[in-house]
Amino acid sequence: DALDLRETGMTLRLSIRGDAAAASGYATAYLEQLRQDPELHLFDEFVFTGSPVRNPSTGRMAVEFMLRIRPPGQKKK
């Protein structure tokens, strides 16, 4: 849904269909996929920034991830 790029990293906001358990599973799987993506090598931390929240107008779960940029010279964890 949205992407916010700053000096410290990138915030991704997305909406996921399904009940809370299914949406949480999809979000976790997607975050793991991002962690494994070699194109995202500039980031060293991939985390949820809060709990998924249901959007009453769409019925979807709103999820937010933070991808922190690796400091220069630091090796991938």
Side-chain angles (χ1 to χ4, degrees):
D1 296 335
L3 176 114
D4 184 16
L5 185 60
R6 299 190 180 216
E7 289 181 19
T8 58
M10 179 171 51
T11 302
L12 301 172
R13 292 178 193 90
L14 31 131
S15 298
I16 301 174
R17 287 184 275 180
D19 61 31
S24 179
Y26 296 144
T28 301
Y30 185 56
L31 187 59
E32 186 57 34
Q33 184 180 359
L34 293 173
R35 278 188 188 111
Q36 301 304 318
D37 191 326
E39 294 294 321
L40 298 176
H41 65 276
L42 293 177
F43 301 99
D44 71 342
E45 187 178 6
F46 299 75
V47 296
F48 282 95
T49 58
S51 299
V53 177
R54 180 140 334 257
N55 181 330
S57 65
T58 65
R60 294 178 179 208
M61 299 298 288
V63 177
E64 186 173 287
F65 301 142
M66 176 63 181
L67 285 63
R68 295 197 195 285
I69 293 177
R70 177 178 300 109
Q74 183 181 31
K75 293 185 178 187
K76 189 172 183 173
K77 292 179 183 178

